[in-house]
Amino acid sequence: MSTFFVILIGQILVNNYVMCQFFGICPFLGVSKKVDTALGMGLAVTFVITIASFFTWLVQNFLLVPLHLEYLHTIAFILVIAVLVQVVENALKKLSYSLYQALGVYLPLITTNCVVLAVAINNITDGYNLLESTFSGCCSALGFTLALLLLAGIRERMELSNMPKWMQGFPGALIMAGLMAISFMGFGGLI
Amino acid sequence: MPKKDTFLGAFLNGLIFENPTFTLMLGMCPTLGITTAAMNGVGMGLATTVVLVFSNLFISLLRNIIPDKVRIPSYIVIIASFVTMIDLLMSAFVPSLRAALGTYIQLIVVNCIIFARAESFAAKNPPVQAIGDGLGMGLGFTWAITLLSCIRELIGSGSIFGLRLMPEAYQPMAIMNQVPGGFITLGILLILVNVIKAAIARHSRARKEELA
């Protein structure tokens, strides 16, 4: 049980993929203008990463390792992720059209979100078992969602404030993200 | 601004006018993740350039064969193959650089610069221009992240390319080597780019008015 607790705290706060390791910066800056869209993106990513962690572990241990093809894991994982994103998109369209419409634009973007691939590769390097991999995937994605929501909240406020023209948009968001990262460093001693 | 339909035009476009880091804001993860030492910047930039040139070339050659519906998986497989090759080559010949860059080498697969160029340029243009675009975008990315990593290494470790430049008494700011330093340095560089762009625009407007 303690392993799971360490993974939970570790992936969400201490080793947050966005704030402490620089993964998934593109969607972090790209879709953090509004809280609603940030939440939609976060949920879609959480969904895909959790399933992707499960399947990439299976692919690695039941396909690549027995065939001695571990060096092909980048290609294999990205294919699994691309297929999964496509399946999730089609399934959502049939099962819950309103959710599909809410997430619509963001779903294809998830393929090129590097958190998904980074989590899959790190799960293998960390030597997690199937359950731990899936759980760690879910927690990493929640950490991503947390960072995205926090920045979106701040940026909504920043829109209303009177900032110099050269500071608006990306430069302001980057400096804000830097300040957020400083505060996330405070979690460093937790585990 | 040069025309993009020649080799040189496509090259210069990527190198300066549509620089992937400062104008298009693409490929942010490696831009921030590995730029703590100037050498890492050069290594990452060149690895990305090689992948970009070859994937652009092959996607451009295959642009009339790949059906539109399965283009994304096709691009991914092409890009992932070159990334795996680079990964294995680097592990064999420059293992220390490969270790410093870590997972980011494998993550070139999902670097949005490569994807964006495949989709918006290589899929629509003949091979020669596609190579020019790949080279320009790749080297544009390389100089941008090398500049960023020089600044971070100078302030964070007091050296550039491992050469100590700061006086002995200088106390390195460790935060520049960590995540916040990356965000803030890039933010400040973007402010500079914005200010320079605004100055150029003002200048050319003033000149037009003078002529009129």
Side-chain angles (χ1 to χ4, degrees):
Chain A
M1 211 45 225
S2 67
T3 337
F4 286 99
F5 191 68
V6 169
I7 292 177
L8 178 78
I9 300 291
Q11 303 289 21
I12 295 185
L13 295 177
V14 183
N15 295 318
N16 187 299
Y17 268 86
V18 182
M19 302 302 344
C20 308
Q21 301 187 51
F22 279 136
F23 289 116
I25 304 294
C26 296
F28 177 63
L29 294 173
V31 279
S32 58
K33 281 201 184 107
K34 288 218 168 66
V35 172
D36 308 351
T37 48
L39 188 65
M41 180 69 173
L43 290 180
V45 169
T46 310
F47 197 53
V48 172
I49 291 188
T50 312
I51 305 173
S53 309
F54 180 79
F55 280 104
T56 49
W57 192 91
L58 290 181
V59 166
Q60 169 78 11
N61 286 287
F62 290 109
L63 202 67
L64 298 182
V65 173
L67 295 173
H68 303 291
L69 287 174
E70 290 97 332
Y71 63 90
L72 284 181
H73 72 238
T74 315
I75 302 183
F77 288 2
I78 194 71
L79 268 180
V80 171
I81 293 167
V83 169
L84 262 179
V85 170
Q86 196 65 57
V87 168
V88 167
E89 194 176 344
N90 291 350
L92 272 185
K93 211 192 267 183
K94 286 263 167 10
L95 294 174
S96 158
Y97 196 73
S98 54
L99 189 62
Y100 169 75
Q101 277 196 320
L103 300 180
V105 210
Y106 305 113
L107 279 169
L109 281 178
I110 297 175
T111 316
T112 53
N113 181 341
C114 54
V115 178
V116 188
L117 188 59
V119 170
I121 292 175
N122 284 351
N123 279 341
I124 303 300
T125 358
D126 289 346
Y128 287 148
N129 64 31
L130 182 57
L131 202 58
E132 285 166 351
S133 287
T134 317
F135 187 69
S136 132
C138 182
C139 293
S140 318
L142 288 178
F144 171 80
T145 313
L146 175 71
L148 197 63
L149 274 180
L150 287 176
L151 186 69
I154 296 174
R155 282 182 78 178
E156 274 194 352
R157 291 291 181 91
M158 277 165 65
E159 286 288 304
L160 301 173
S161 60
N162 191 10
M163 294 223 296
K165 197 158 186 269
W166 37 264
M167 187 82 176
Q168 282 165 10
F170 281 124
L174 276 165
I175 289 176
M176 221 27 104
L179 296 178
M180 276 169 67
I182 293 180
S183 51
F184 263 82
M185 281 169 73
F187 293 119
L190 272 183
I191 47 172
Chain B
M1 204 179 269
K3 282 186 179 156
K4 290 185 213 169
D5 51 8
T6 60
F7 178 84
L8 195 68
F11 176 72
L12 287 177
N13 180 55
L15 198 61
I16 300 162
F17 300 100
E18 277 185 21
N19 186 284
T21 306
F22 294 131
T23 313
L24 301 180
M25 296 291 295
L26 292 173
M28 283 294 117
C29 301
T31 305
L32 295 166
I34 51 88
T35 52
T36 48
M39 202 53 226
N40 290 355
V42 176
M44 184 71 206
L46 292 183
T48 312
T49 309
V50 174
V51 175
L52 193 53
V53 168
F54 281 104
S55 66
N56 258 9
L57 170 66
F58 274 75
I59 289 166
S60 169
L61 286 173
L62 296 170
R63 70 184 186 283
N64 296 326
I65 304 171
I66 298 174
D68 206 39
K69 269 189 183 160
V70 293
R71 65 180 199 287
I72 306 263
S74 319
Y75 296 167
I76 284 188
V77 175
I78 294 172
I79 297 168
S81 317
F82 287 112
V83 171
T84 308
M85 280 181 221
I86 283 288
D87 186 14
L88 295 175
L89 282 174
M90 285 181 81
S91 310
F93 292 106
V94 279
S96 58
L97 183 63
R98 170 67 184 76
L101 297 176
T103 326
Y104 286 105
I105 288 292
Q106 289 156 7
L107 290 180
I108 297 178
V109 179
V110 283
N111 188 322
C112 12
I113 299 178
I114 297 177
F115 229 80
R117 294 332 285 172
E119 175 88 7
S120 68
F121 196 92
K124 291 172 198 147
N125 288 282
V128 178
Q129 282 89 313
I131 294 179
D133 179 75
L135 263 180
M137 283 288 164
L139 295 178
F141 177 64
T142 308
W143 78 254
I145 63 172
T146 307
L147 174 70
L148 188 64
S149 41
C150 282
I151 298 172
R152 284 180 72 186
E153 194 185 345
L154 183 67
I155 304 178
S157 322
S159 54
I160 288 181
F161 286 105
L163 260 165
R164 192 159 177 92
L165 290 179
M166 288 293 199
E168 278 302 308
Y170 177 71
Q171 184 74 41
M173 275 171 67
I175 201 155
M176 289 301 274
N177 284 342
Q178 286 161 328
V179 177
F183 280 121
I184 292 173
T185 316
L186 186 65
I188 292 172
L189 273 180
L190 280 179
I191 291 178
L192 284 180
V193 170
N194 280 355
V195 169
I196 292 171
K197 268 190 195 156
I200 292 174
R202 232 187 355 259
H203 187 73
S204 59
R205 215 172 31 238
R207 234 165 100 194
K208 256 183 212 155
E209 276 166 17
E210 233 170 63
L211 287 174

